Amino acid sequence: MSEVVKLAVTGHCAVITIDAPPVNALSAAVRRGILENVMAANADSAVQAIVIACAGRTFIAGADITEFGKPPQPPALNEVIEAIEGCAKPVIAAIHGTALGGGLELALGCHFRVAVADAKHGLPEVKLGLVPGAGGTQRLPRAVGPEFGVKMIVSGEPISASEALEHGLIDEIVEGPADGAIAFAKKVVAEQRPLRLLRNDDSKLVAARADRSLFTAAAAAATKKNRGVNAPLACAEAVSWTLDTPFDDALKKERETFLRLVNDDQSKAQRHAFFAEREAVKVRGLPKGVKPRPVERVAIVGAGTMGGGIAMSFANAGIPVTLIETGEAQLTRGLAMMQKSWEATAARGGIAPDEPAKRMALIDGKIGLDNVRDADLVIEAVFETMAIKKEVFTAIDAHAKLGAVLATNTSYLDINEIAAVTERPQDVLGMHFFSPANVMKLCEVVRAERTAPDALLTATTMANRIRKTPVVVGVCHGFVGNRMLAVRGLQGEALLKSGALPDQVDAVLTRFGLPMGLFAMGDLAGLDIGWRSRQDRGLRWDIADAICESGRLGQKTSKGYYRYEPGSRAPIPDPEVEKLIDETCKRLGLTRRAIGDQEILERMIYPMINEGARILEENIAARPGDIDVIWLYGYGWPVHRGGPMFYADLVGLKTIVERLEFYARSLNEPALKPTALLARLAREGSSFASLNAARTAG
Ligand code: 3H9
């Protein structure tokens, strides 16, 4: 008998319970257990109805993703679902937690579905680069109608129990999943309700069969919104088969599409991202038994864009915040900005109308650093200058309570140096949020030399509590993300000198899938930031500096690497910039040449990968997967490309090493030479994936 699936008969109802922690994924053992028990219950003459329920925190959360790409083990999920459909007795799915992917597909094969009020239902396969592979594209539209069905499948977003009831996905909302399902089963038996098989029920498809335009629109929207990504369009297409393809043929086509996509690099990248995120949040190397410190109130120092966004993230999670500024005007401006942002979200229907007031009530605006005294976690988000940071930390040290964790949101600065001005360096670390901080998921948690393990764990725990993805990194200039970004910036400057133009470079990057090009991003952020930082460090970038010196500071001056029409943020290539680049190069005695897109891509991405390898050599990041998560959640790296280190494996490390050596030689840039780690992995025929596995296990 199955270890993970149990059968119990109470009265005339058989209850099949799946107990496969953590999320009851449909491994081969679970599939086998369900099949055996469904057949046994169906054959038992004392049984009048069958309930399928789950133990633990959730209903089945989908196929077991770790099995993908390995030789398939019987029985297939479709076989299990067919056995359920073939039962002569009513089969009822009892849903709690999340019925996702194959879990929802199995529920859709049941004759009835009931769910508790806070259950969620969805087919998120598209987020793994897949189409649902066990009938979801055919049964869900028959349950909820093709228009809502295609929306759910192409977006992958789950719906609540009340929406599921409204759209006909479930039959009833119940109090307890198994008990509620048993009570529902009794009703079904007593009323002799006919067994409903979605495969035979085309009632909701009639209108769409007469007018297919909804699918043409869904396919067009999927293509437009997900440029270069295969799964959304495949999902829309698969749902359209409900209109004209016999059910079993459509199931076969769906399965073929699933198998094609599961072996596609895009799905591999998205599955890598799924697991890398879950690994990244686990902090390794902490002493046994270490616990996070309790945090009830947070103080944020600085109510500017960054401080305000961080404060909003805490208030969004219901955590009280003391927001500290140096003067009334700054504080009032900061609070007003937050209120406006929440009100805009409420107006869009993103939060309930009373939420902005509730969240504002959690923010206590104060003047003066002595107000950090009640906070268990203090996050400094003031101007990015070492002298100011030191001054602020000296004051925080004087007023913060004993044991409070003291975090800086610095993007570049040496946190060891900041910690050294306090009497408690063990409590000091970095929490580097990304702009806009209330939206972006990433938080680089920077472990300084003397950071105590429980302080570190407090920071990652709090980041999780505010629904961020924390990745632990070490101290260096720019940490992981910005350090790699700086390398890309330098290569952008070099590409302009070689002969490329800003819009050509940016087009290559956006075609690759990044949300913005390098130069458009610079214009948006303001070019003076980098200019000032280069001046501080005694660096000169001839073209970037010439652009700034001519008064072009980006969008704020309507001119930067591009020009901007009044009131518009759309970058327009500007012949004046080309002239400026030409003149600068002539002055330097450089000859510009035509540069191809492949060269641009290589010179933009491969040096970043090389820097990633250097970061791993220095143990600034623990695993290649952590670097990928940083780029996915902090910089909009396209998830279907898995992150820079995953992408490196796809290209092949040998190729990357060869190209870097070529550029180091031909451009006379020794900094482009492959790092020792990258060169070794390439020589050994190894990959970042192997290094990831080794460092995860170790
Ligand atoms: C599918 O179903 C295809 C079918 O159409 C066709 C098949 C033929 N498999 O996220 P958490 C692990 S595709 C294996 O931290 P939460 C996860 O790695 C699938 N493992 O918890 C982690 O392990 P660890 C469609 C899985 O409470 C642990 O469970 N389904 C799976 O924050 C806890 O996960 C999905 O895409 C899985 N399916 O969130 C749903 N799911 O502790 C994917 C989780 O070792 N899952 N794990 O790090 C989720 O969205 C979230 O995990 C869930 C729980 C919302 C369920």
Side-chain angles (χ1 to χ4, degrees):
M1 276 319 273
S2 172
E3 286 295 311
V4 283
V5 185
K6 297 274 184 289
L7 174 67
V9 181
T10 48
H12 294 295
C13 192
V15 179
I16 296 171
T17 305
I18 299 144
D19 189 3
V23 297
N24 291 313
L26 288 159
S27 62
V30 171
R31 296 195 300 275
R32 204 164 34 246
I34 300 173
L35 183 62
E36 283 168 8
N37 284 303
V38 164
M39 283 166 48
N42 193 39
D44 185 341
S45 57
V47 169
Q48 292 178 348
I50 304 167
V51 164
I52 300 182
C54 285
R57 66 199 217 214
T58 181
F59 191 74
I60 303 163
D64 184 341
I65 307 169
T66 60
E67 285 186 353
F68 292 173
K70 297 182 185 155
Q73 301 291 321
L77 184 53
N78 271 332
E79 195 186 322
V80 179
I81 295 173
E82 268 174 36
I84 293 172
E85 285 182 320
C87 280
K89 305 156 184 185
V91 185
I92 298 119
I95 298 171
H96 77 292
T98 44
L100 297 178
L104 184 62
E105 291 177 299
L106 183 130
L108 286 162
C110 296
H111 305 108
F112 303 97
R113 288 155 292 283
V114 297
V116 295
D118 62 356
K120 294 255 188 318
H121 316 71
L123 293 176
E125 285 85 343
V126 72
K127 296 185 181 182
L128 298 171
L130 299 169
V131 296
T137 64
Q138 304 306 300
R139 289 191 186 89
L140 183 73
R142 284 174 163 85
V144 301
E147 190 163 3
F148 195 67
V150 80
K151 196 172 130 204
M152 275 182 74
I153 294 172
V154 171
S155 72
E157 288 303 318
I159 59 168
S160 66
S162 57
E163 280 176 290
L165 186 65
E166 183 195 331
H167 289 278
L169 175 55
I170 60 170
D171 297 277
E172 206 172 286
I173 295 182
V174 294
E175 295 243 313
D179 291 351
I182 293 171
F184 181 85
K186 282 186 185 151
K187 262 192 308 195
V188 168
V189 171
E191 293 166 13
Q192 295 187 326
R193 285 198 205 175
L195 305 188
R196 183 177 176 218
L197 285 186
L198 284 168
R199 63 155 57 227
N200 297 333
D201 185 350
D202 288 2
S203 55
K204 291 197 175 176
L205 302 175
V206 179
R209 279 184 174 150
D211 172 11
R212 302 178 59 105
S213 61
L214 91 91
F215 285 107
T216 331
T223 313
K224 191 166 170 225
K225 205 170 158 217
N226 305 281
R227 221 167 2 102
V229 191
N230 301 329
L233 185 61
C235 284
E237 256 174 43
V239 179
S240 78
W241 300 330
T242 52
L243 302 191
D244 48 22
T245 309
F247 188 89
D248 285 318
D249 293 349
L251 228 55
K252 211 167 140 242
K253 280 169 78 170
E254 182 201 65
R255 182 78 195 144
E256 284 162 8
T257 311
F258 176 86
L259 289 176
R260 175 169 55 77
L261 292 179
V262 100
N263 292 312
D264 186 89
D265 286 342
Q266 293 194 358
S267 174
K268 287 180 191 159
Q270 288 176 253
R271 275 139 51 198
H272 161 75
F274 177 85
F275 288 115
E277 181 186 357
R278 278 153 186 82
E279 279 310 320
V281 302
K282 294 174 196 156
V283 189
R284 289 199 156 66
L286 294 178
K288 238 182 153 177
V290 62
K291 292 219 162 45
R293 302 178 193 174
V295 175
E296 276 165 24
R297 174 169 281 277
V298 175
I300 312 288
V301 181
T305 315
M306 214 53 207
I310 299 170
M312 286 177 77
S313 303
F314 281 94
N316 286 344
I319 300 166
V321 175
T322 309
L323 184 65
I324 300 171
E325 256 302 344
T326 46
E328 281 295 343
Q330 296 93 319
L331 184 60
T332 311
R333 203 177 324 120
L335 290 169
M337 198 173 69
M338 293 158 68
Q339 177 141 12
K340 199 170 143 210
S341 170
W342 274 320
E343 278 169 0
T345 312
R348 280 198 311 270
I351 52 174
D354 59 343
E355 277 298 320
K358 279 193 196 158
R359 295 181 195 195
M360 281 307 289
L362 285 168
I363 312 268
D364 188 11
K366 292 274 193 234
I367 308 290
L369 280 169
D370 50 330
N371 290 294
V372 298
R373 71 177 87 82
D374 297 330
D376 307 295
L377 167 65
V378 181
I379 303 175
E380 161 280 308
V382 303
F383 203 68
E384 185 75 352
T385 303
M386 184 54 99
I388 299 179
K389 301 271 189 205
K390 283 184 173 172
E391 204 180 298
V392 168
F393 265 82
T394 307
I396 293 175
D397 189 26
H399 297 291
K401 65 161 89 152
L402 218 62
V405 173
L406 313 182
T408 166
N409 177 52
T410 178
S411 322
Y412 290 96
L413 299 174
D414 182 344
I415 300 178
N416 294 324
E417 204 179 321
I418 297 173
V421 302
T422 71
E423 297 291 317
R424 39 176 139 178
Q426 73 281 1
D427 297 335
V428 179
L429 46 73
M431 284 182 86
H432 179 210
F433 292 87
F434 289 72
S435 189
N438 52 323
V439 177
M440 298 299 281
K441 274 189 76 179
L442 179 65
C443 177
E444 281 182 328
V445 174
V446 192
R447 178 183 211 159
E449 241 162 43
R450 296 179 59 190
T451 306
D454 62 341
L456 188 72
L457 195 58
T458 309
T460 57
T461 306
M462 291 311 291
N464 267 321
R465 254 178 84 188
I466 61 172
R467 290 185 280 280
K468 303 286 177 202
T469 300
V471 182
V472 175
V473 300
V475 175
C476 64
H477 188 75
F479 315 120
V480 173
N482 282 346
R483 176 167 158 182
M484 289 167 72
L485 192 69
V487 167
R488 196 182 73 171
L490 189 60
Q491 291 311 312
E493 167 85 4
L495 269 167
L496 298 185
K497 283 184 179 165
S498 296
L501 287 173
D503 57 305
Q504 193 194 353
V505 175
D506 283 0
V508 169
L509 291 174
T510 50
R511 261 202 309 277
F512 182 76
L514 283 152
M516 253 189 147
L518 163 70
F519 296 106
M521 197 167 110
D523 277 0
L524 175 69
L527 302 178
D528 48 331
I529 302 175
W531 189 26
R532 207 177 319 113
S533 147
R534 289 193 294 278
Q535 281 168 346
D536 287 349
R537 288 179 294 147
L539 297 174
R540 178 150 184 94
W541 288 14
D542 299 291
I543 294 172
D545 291 356
I547 298 235
C548 291
E549 281 151 12
S550 72
R552 307 181 71 111
L553 301 183
Q555 285 190 17
K556 59 182 157 192
T557 55
S558 301
K559 283 176 176 181
Y561 285 102
Y562 297 91
R563 66 180 183 82
Y564 298 85
E565 292 291 343
S568 163
R569 289 168 169 264
I572 304 168
D574 189 346
E576 271 185 35
V577 171
E578 188 171 355
K579 203 166 142 239
L580 228 151
I581 296 172
D582 265 338
E583 283 169 5
T584 310
C585 289
K586 277 204 187 94
R587 193 164 35 81
L588 296 168
L590 299 171
T591 314
R592 301 180 75 233
R593 62 183 163 89
I595 308 274
D597 288 355
Q598 181 62 23
E599 178 174 344
I600 292 179
L601 188 70
E602 290 178 358
R603 287 175 64 184
M604 284 281 87
I605 309 281
Y606 296 0
M608 280 174 56
I609 292 166
N610 203 26
E611 194 63 21
R614 194 169 289 121
I615 283 168
L616 290 167
E617 272 172 3
E618 294 170 15
N619 277 319
I620 296 292
R623 289 165 293 241
D626 290 5
I627 298 180
D628 288 339
V629 172
I630 286 172
W631 273 82
L632 288 164
Y633 291 122
Y635 300 85
W637 184 278
V639 66
H640 66 283
R641 294 198 192 268
M645 310 318 274
F646 179 87
Y647 178 73
D649 279 354
L650 279 188
V651 174
L653 301 191
K654 197 164 157 280
T655 305
I656 291 184
V657 163
E658 279 166 10
R659 296 308 288 160
L660 282 170
E661 275 167 351
F662 167 77
Y663 288 122
R665 218 173 32 245
S666 61
L667 300 169
N668 195 20
E669 277 204 63
L672 288 178
K673 279 204 178 127
T675 60
L677 174 67
L678 182 57
R680 176 174 65 76
L681 291 175
R683 204 171 44 247
E684 291 170 354
S686 186
S687 62
F688 285 117
S690 319
L691 183 67
N692 205 54
R695 290 202 178 183
T696 299

